């Protein structure tokens, strides 16, 4: 079925909006903003290199029909990781696949199960960071939101276990959309680790997942955040991570973006008060016909804040990637230290990267740097490896993996680092003989 | 061990080697000296099969096999080792995984089982010690941030691990102070063996005080223009290359 571009909004509004009695104001604002945002074309700056043609070819504004994702468990289990694990299949919570351990100072509930007190907190923060105007899919998420995960960590609480939220998509009879939402609130001096993982069943699927996460990191609080994607090559993802940082707070984000037909991730970090620190590290490894688009926005609104942002991408086959990283230093943000680096490796003549690091500075006493590079594998390094007996094929894999190894090694959560290593190596070859040397035992050296 | 006959090679359409002949027997050390631009480094790259170095005539028989049709890695597995003048820095690839991959590849070619990681680590640590490199260098990226001397010692360590039949040392002395030079030379000398040969490519006689060659050849204008014993190196040091080049012209 082919639908005209203008139909998308109409169908989305009638299908998703106005079904909830909660969050009516947010829903109404979202829906108004969504209606006003035009369907992106190549002339829309924020979507210049990412085509939404797929959305005009099939009607994605249909509800998912099935929610059985039990067979996918192997795709998201992380060995030796002791966690609170909540699993959503096509946007719907799966109690039978989830585990919850009580930890003092932690409130983890679905919006629909929230107590009056918790609901008051949700209403206070939900939609406050995820601005409608940023992205039409975020506006749509705001317009439809009824349920989601609420994580609240009380003042001075340091969680001992990471929180693991898994989003699974599975095969449907037709194109369909699923939504999910996550709100993380860390009170003063609280510390938490939140892992968001996005996986699929192994079957062909035309599922679009629209997922938005908001985090409010209180004064002196620290949030370690992971966003790990490895969806089926036929699935679509439109996601957003929106973060408000309080005074002297810290946000460390690690993103691994694999798989998916079209994936778009918007990340916004607001340095609202002085002394906060943001460290953001991401890798994207599209291959085949995959398309990945990252838009990051760092808003320095207060003095003495720091940002260290590093993204690396390796594009294989006919894949395409878009990286747009913007750091905006507002007039009051004196003594800001901000760095943005984006390095890319093209493994094939047909692979593409469009990268645009942007720095906008309105304060005069800051230290900022930004840069992007695009390269191919280093022939001299390859010759060096081959001159020691290593095959050309293995040399390519070692050099490609080496390009992202540094970022992988910087992941603080060890079980995750150990689990990610083979997952990333597999991107370059499924032949164990060719990846065995990059998969050395961590303790080995 | 190695027989090069009438070797012609070009790089980017420029003829560099123009009829080079050399015979090397097992256990021998041959020094190749010569002025800048004579083709000294080209020889090492051609023998290793580097892309962009095109052989236009002649033959190279290594241990009874014509190696000119082999890929770089096959030549290495057959026992040819090139110690680089400028070893390449490869951030993100640890020295240890690089060394293990190399040794596994060479061992597999010889029909040997791969070493398990514990035995390999033990071996690598021994070799580190032999060339006076701290064990931390195994964890670091290949040559990443190594000083000139550390890079050269890393080359010698690789040579020790791979146990090649023929080692080509391409201006190994460049960028080394006298202490580092001695460590490297000791490493090389410890590997001398009746079945292993060396080609030592160098500008200066100095290195040959430490690695004493059986033969010295002068490479100029793409061919060997003079050969002799180790005393030829001293003569060159005294008189420069001019007198030979002029004589050859």
């Amino acid at each position: 079925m082919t639908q005209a571009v203008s139909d998308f909004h109409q169908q989305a509004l009638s299908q998703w909006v106005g079904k909830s009695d909660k969050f009516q104001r947010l829903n109404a604002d979202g829906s108004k903003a969504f209606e006003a945002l035009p369907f992106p074309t190549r002339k829309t700056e924020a979507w210049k290199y990412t085509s939404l043609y797929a959305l005009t070819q099939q009607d994605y504004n249909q509800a998912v029909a099935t929610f059985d994702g039990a067979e996918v468990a192997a795709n998201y289990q992380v060995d030796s990781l002791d966690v609170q694990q909540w699993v959503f299949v096509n946007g719907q919570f799966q109690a039978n696949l989830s585990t919850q351990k009580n930890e003092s100072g932690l409130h983890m509930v679905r919006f629909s199960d929230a107590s009056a007190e918790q609901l008051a907190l949700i209403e206070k923060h939900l939609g406050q960071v995820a601005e409608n105007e940023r992205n039409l899919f975020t506006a749509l998420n705001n317009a439809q939101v009824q349920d989601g995960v609420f994580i609240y960590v009380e003042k001075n609480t340091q969680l001992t276990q990471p929180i693991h939220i898994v989003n699974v998509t599975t095969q449907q009879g037709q194109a369909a959309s699923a939504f999910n939402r996550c709100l993380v609130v860390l009170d003063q001096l609280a510390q938490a680790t939140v892992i968001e993982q996005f996986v699929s069943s192994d079957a062909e699927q035309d599922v679009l997942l629209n997922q938005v996460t908001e985090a409010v990191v209180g004064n002196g609080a620290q949030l370690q955040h992971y966003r790990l994607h490895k969806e089926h090559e036929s699935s679509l993802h439109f996601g957003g991570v929106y973060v408000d940082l309080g005074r002297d707070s810290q946000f460390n984000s690690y993103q691994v973006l694999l798989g998916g037909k079209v994936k778009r991730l918007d990340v916004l970090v607001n340095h609202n008060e002085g002394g906060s620190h943001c460290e953001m590290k991401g890798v994207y490894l599209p291959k085949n016909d995959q398309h990945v688009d990252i838009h990051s926005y760092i808003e320095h609104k207060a003095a003495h804040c720091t940002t260290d942002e590093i993204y690396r991408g390796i594009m294989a086959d006919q894949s395409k990637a878009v990286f747009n990283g913007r750091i905006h230093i507002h007039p009051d943000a004196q003594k800001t230290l901000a760095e943005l680096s984006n390095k890319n490796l093209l493994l094939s003549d047909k692979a593409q990267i469009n990268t645009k690091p942007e720095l906008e500075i309105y304060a005069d006493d800051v230290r900022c740097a930004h840069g992007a590079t695009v390269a191919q594998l280093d022939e001299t390094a390859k010759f060096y490896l081959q001159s020691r007996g290593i095959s050309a094929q293995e040399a390519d894999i070692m050099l490609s993996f080496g390009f992202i190894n540094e970022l992988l090694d910087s992941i603080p959560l060890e079980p995750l680092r150990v689990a990610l290593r083979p997952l990333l190596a597999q991107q370059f070859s499924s032949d164990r003989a060719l990846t065995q040397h990059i998969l050395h035992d961590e303790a080995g050296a | 061990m190695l027989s090069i006959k009438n070797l012609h090679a070009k790089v980017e359409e420029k003829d560099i080697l123009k009829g080079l002949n050399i015979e090397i027997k097992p256990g021998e050390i041959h020094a190749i000296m010569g002025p800048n631009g004579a083709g000294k480094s080209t020889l090492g790259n051609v023998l290793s099969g580097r892309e962009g170095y095109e052989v236009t005539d002649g033959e190279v028989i290594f241990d009874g096999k014509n190696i000119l049709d082999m890929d770089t890695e096959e030549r290495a597995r057959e026992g040819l080792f090139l110690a680089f003048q400028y070893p390449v820095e490869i951030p993100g690839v640890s020295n240890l995984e690089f060394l293990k991959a190399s040794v596994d590849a060479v061992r597999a070619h010889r029909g040997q089982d791969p070493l398990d990681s514990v035995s390999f680590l033990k071996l690598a640590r021994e070799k580190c010690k032999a060339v006076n490199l701290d064990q931390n260098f195994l964890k670091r990226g290949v040559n990443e941030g190594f000083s000139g001397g550390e890079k050269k010692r890393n080359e010698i360590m690789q040579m020790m691990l791979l146990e090649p039949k023929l080692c080509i040392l391409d201006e190994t002395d460049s960028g080394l102070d006298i202490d580092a030079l001695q460590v490297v030379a000791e490493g090389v000398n410890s590997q001398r063996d009746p079945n292993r040969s060396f080609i030592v490519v160098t500008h200066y006689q100095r290195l040959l005080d430490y690695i004493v060659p059986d033969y010295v050849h002068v490479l100029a204008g793409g061919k060997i223009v003079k050969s002799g014993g180790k005393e030829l190196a001293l003569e060159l040091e005294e008189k420069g290359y001019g007198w030979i080049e002029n004589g050859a012209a």
Side-chain angles (χ1 to χ4, degrees):
Chain A
M1 191 189 91
T2 303
Q3 60 165 350
V5 167
S6 57
D7 290 348
F8 179 79
H9 277 73
Q10 232 30 62
Q11 284 171 349
L13 289 168
S14 67
Q15 173 74 326
W16 309 117
V17 180
K19 307 221 161 147
S20 164
D21 50 354
K22 280 186 202 133
F23 318 122
Q24 283 177 359
R25 171 105 173 267
L26 179 59
N27 290 167
D29 289 350
S31 119
K32 214 162 93 187
F34 176 71
E35 229 179 326
L37 284 164
F39 189 83
T41 67
R42 293 279 154 140
K43 287 180 182 155
T44 313
E45 184 60 26
W47 294 89
K48 196 170 174 185
Y49 302 106
T50 297
S51 164
L52 295 178
Y53 179 72
L55 299 186
T56 65
Q57 289 308 102
Q58 291 188 84
D59 181 9
Y60 278 90
N61 286 311
Q62 301 180 81
V64 287
T66 54
F67 300 98
D68 182 16
E71 84 279 8
V72 193
N75 292 358
Y76 60 75
Q77 294 296 354
V78 178
D79 287 344
S80 65
L81 190 60
D82 196 10
V83 290
Q84 313 265 2
Q85 182 172 279
W86 279 24
V87 178
F88 292 80
V89 175
N90 300 320
Q92 196 176 78
F93 181 64
Q94 306 294 304
N96 58 328
L97 298 175
S98 303
T99 53
Q100 180 152 22
K101 297 169 187 167
N102 292 326
E103 209 179 327
S104 89
L106 169 67
H107 303 251
M108 186 163 166
V109 292
R110 292 163 63 201
F111 300 168
S112 49
D113 292 338
S115 66
E117 212 178 329
Q118 290 165 336
L119 198 58
L121 273 170
I122 296 170
E123 278 171 344
K124 181 177 168 195
H125 295 291
L126 195 68
Q128 293 302 303
V129 203
E131 300 164 17
N132 284 316
E133 289 70 26
R134 284 273 167 199
N135 179 310
L136 85 157
F137 293 98
T138 299
L140 182 59
N141 197 299
N142 282 337
Q144 63 74 46
V145 65
Q146 335 169 22
D147 206 353
V149 195
F150 177 51
I151 296 164
Y152 172 64
V153 184
E154 289 174 11
K155 194 172 163 179
N156 293 323
T157 304
Q158 299 172 11
L159 294 187
T160 56
Q161 297 172 336
I163 292 163
H164 190 190
I165 297 172
V166 183
N167 277 282
V168 180
T169 52
T170 65
Q171 187 178 24
Q172 304 295 317
Q174 57 183 10
S177 285
F179 294 83
N180 206 356
R181 185 79 178 214
C182 179
L183 173 64
V184 181
V185 178
L186 304 192
D187 213 328
Q188 280 183 44
L189 298 165
Q191 291 180 17
T193 297
V194 175
I195 304 163
E196 297 188 274
Q197 194 172 11
F198 299 84
V199 296
S200 303
S201 63
D202 297 330
E204 185 84 14
Q205 52 198 266
D206 289 309
V207 178
L208 183 166
L209 181 66
N210 177 332
Q211 195 280 346
V212 169
T213 293
E214 286 176 282
V216 179
V217 185
N219 293 345
Q222 296 182 12
L223 176 61
Q224 201 180 104
H225 169 254
Y226 295 87
R227 192 152 175 124
L228 313 173
H229 286 262
K230 189 174 193 289
E231 298 100 337
H232 190 270
E233 304 228 6
S234 57
S235 75
L236 308 183
H237 182 89
F238 296 95
V241 176
Y242 297 87
V243 184
D244 264 356
L245 295 180
R247 177 172 301 278
D248 298 323
S249 65
Q250 193 169 325
F251 176 62
N252 295 62
S253 181
Y254 305 88
Q255 300 153 23
V256 175
L257 308 174
L258 313 175
K261 181 154 86 182
V262 177
K263 193 193 319 295
R264 163 73 177 239
L265 181 65
D266 285 25
V267 184
L268 166 72
V269 178
N270 291 312
H271 289 279
N272 289 332
E273 293 180 72
S276 57
H277 176 63
C278 165
E279 180 181 286
M280 191 137 68
K281 293 182 173 174
V283 297
Y284 43 97
L285 308 174
K287 56 182 188 177
N288 303 329
D289 292 312
Q290 297 167 6
H291 182 109
V292 58
D293 179 345
I294 297 150
H295 271 61
S296 84
Y297 309 90
I298 313 283
E299 300 289 340
H300 278 269
K301 300 176 182 173
H304 294 283
C305 297
T306 57
T307 292
D308 185 11
E309 182 178 357
I310 303 175
Y311 278 88
R312 290 201 172 190
I314 304 179
M315 281 54 68
D317 310 316
Q318 308 79 248
S319 67
K320 292 177 184 164
V322 181
F323 176 80
N324 195 116
R326 179 167 184 262
I327 297 182
H328 181 185
I329 318 284
H330 295 246
D332 290 339
Q334 299 296 359
K335 304 286 180 192
T336 292
L337 297 178
E339 280 187 37
L340 162 61
S341 156
N342 173 232
K343 292 187 179 174
N344 297 283
L345 194 56
L346 293 172
L347 296 184
S348 113
D349 291 344
K350 291 182 182 143
Q352 264 189 37
I353 168 74
N354 288 290
T355 173
K356 190 163 95 177
E358 295 178 86
L359 199 47
E360 227 176 296
I361 305 178
Y362 298 98
D364 53 12
D365 185 13
V366 299
R367 208 167 74 209
C368 300
H370 70 316
T373 62
V374 180
Q376 289 168 303
L377 284 177
D378 180 353
E379 286 300 324
T380 310
K382 186 173 172 182
F383 172 63
Y384 189 69
L385 296 181
Q386 286 179 273
S387 78
R388 300 302 182 248
I390 298 170
S391 71
Q393 229 183 338
E394 188 175 3
D396 282 349
I397 292 167
M398 289 179 89
L399 292 173
S400 300
F401 195 79
F403 190 74
I404 52 167
N405 204 4
E406 199 185 319
L407 290 190
L408 181 59
D409 277 345
S410 71
I411 289 178
L413 200 57
E414 197 202 337
L416 213 51
R417 198 168 61 229
V418 170
L420 280 172
R421 197 168 263 280
L423 188 74
L424 291 172
Q426 250 177 36
Q427 285 292 299
F428 303 112
S429 175
S430 51
D431 182 353
R432 185 69 174 81
L434 290 171
T435 56
Q436 58 169 331
H437 296 107
I438 54 179
L439 293 179
H440 65 84
D441 179 9
E442 280 214 0
Chain B
M1 172 70 68
L2 182 74
S3 165
I4 302 177
K5 289 199 177 116
N6 191 34
L7 184 64
H8 287 71
K10 62 181 181 183
V11 184
E12 288 172 357
E13 296 307 308
K14 195 177 165 205
D15 294 318
I16 307 285
L17 298 182
K18 302 165 185 168
L20 187 139
N21 294 289
I22 202 166
E23 289 285 333
I24 297 173
K25 294 193 179 63
E28 290 178 352
I29 296 189
H30 289 241
I32 295 183
M33 302 181 72
N36 284 328
K40 298 194 301 295
S41 285
T42 299
L43 179 61
N45 283 319
V46 166
L47 292 179
S48 298
R50 184 168 190 169
E51 220 171 290
Y53 290 77
E54 191 191 341
V55 173
T56 49
D57 200 6
E59 65 170 21
V60 177
I61 304 298
F62 173 54
D63 208 24
K65 293 174 186 158
N66 175 11
I67 59 167
L68 291 180
D69 292 334
M70 294 182 187
D71 290 335
T72 297
E73 57 265 38
E74 282 177 80
R75 299 181 198 202
R77 292 169 192 173
E78 287 288 339
L80 193 133
F81 183 89
L82 172 65
F84 281 53
Q85 182 180 3
Y86 302 110
V88 186
E89 295 200 18
I90 313 179
V93 177
S94 88
N95 218 4
L96 190 72
E97 68 192 52
F98 159 62
L99 295 170
K100 180 87 165 60
S102 308
V103 171
D104 283 354
V106 170
R107 285 179 68 93
H109 187 73
R110 292 178 189 151
Q112 297 167 310
D113 287 332
L115 291 173
D116 63 76
S117 34
V118 177
S119 319
F120 181 76
L121 188 60
K122 194 165 161 252
L123 184 69
R125 283 181 173 155
E126 268 170 35
K127 303 303 181 195
C128 264
K129 212 168 162 189
V131 295
N132 206 8
L133 266 185
D134 191 276
Q135 288 176 10
N136 280 326
F137 283 88
L138 293 173
K139 287 189 212 170
R140 287 168 57 177
V142 176
N143 294 317
E144 188 185 2
F146 289 23
S147 72
E150 287 159 354
K151 283 180 183 168
K152 296 298 165 75
R153 280 183 270 159
N154 200 20
E155 295 291 288
I156 303 304
M157 178 171 70
Q158 292 165 34
M159 185 174 97
M160 290 175 165
L161 281 169
L162 296 174
E163 302 177 329
K165 294 174 194 151
L166 174 70
C167 308
I168 304 160
L169 309 180
D170 188 8
E171 306 214 13
T172 290
D173 48 340
S174 70
L176 290 191
D177 62 28
I178 207 80
D179 294 335
L181 189 65
Q182 281 177 355
V183 174
V184 167
E186 274 167 28
V188 171
N189 287 329
S190 75
Q191 297 302 297
R192 288 195 73 160
D193 182 295
N195 296 314
R196 182 173 294 139
S197 312
F198 292 84
I199 296 176
V200 182
V201 176
T202 182
H203 255 308
Y204 303 108
Q205 191 271 336
R206 190 179 65 163
L207 177 66
L208 306 180
D209 285 340
Y210 300 98
I211 303 173
V212 182
D214 300 301
Y215 300 94
V216 174
H217 309 277
V218 178
L219 177 61
K223 48 176 121 174
I224 303 292
V225 293
K226 194 171 178 62
S227 297
K230 62 185 174 199
E231 60 293 338
L232 176 57
L234 292 168
E235 208 176 341
L236 288 167
E237 185 80 357
E238 200 180 312
K239 298 185 185 170
Y241 293 111
W243 63 284
I244 296 173
E245 283 181 289
N246 293 338

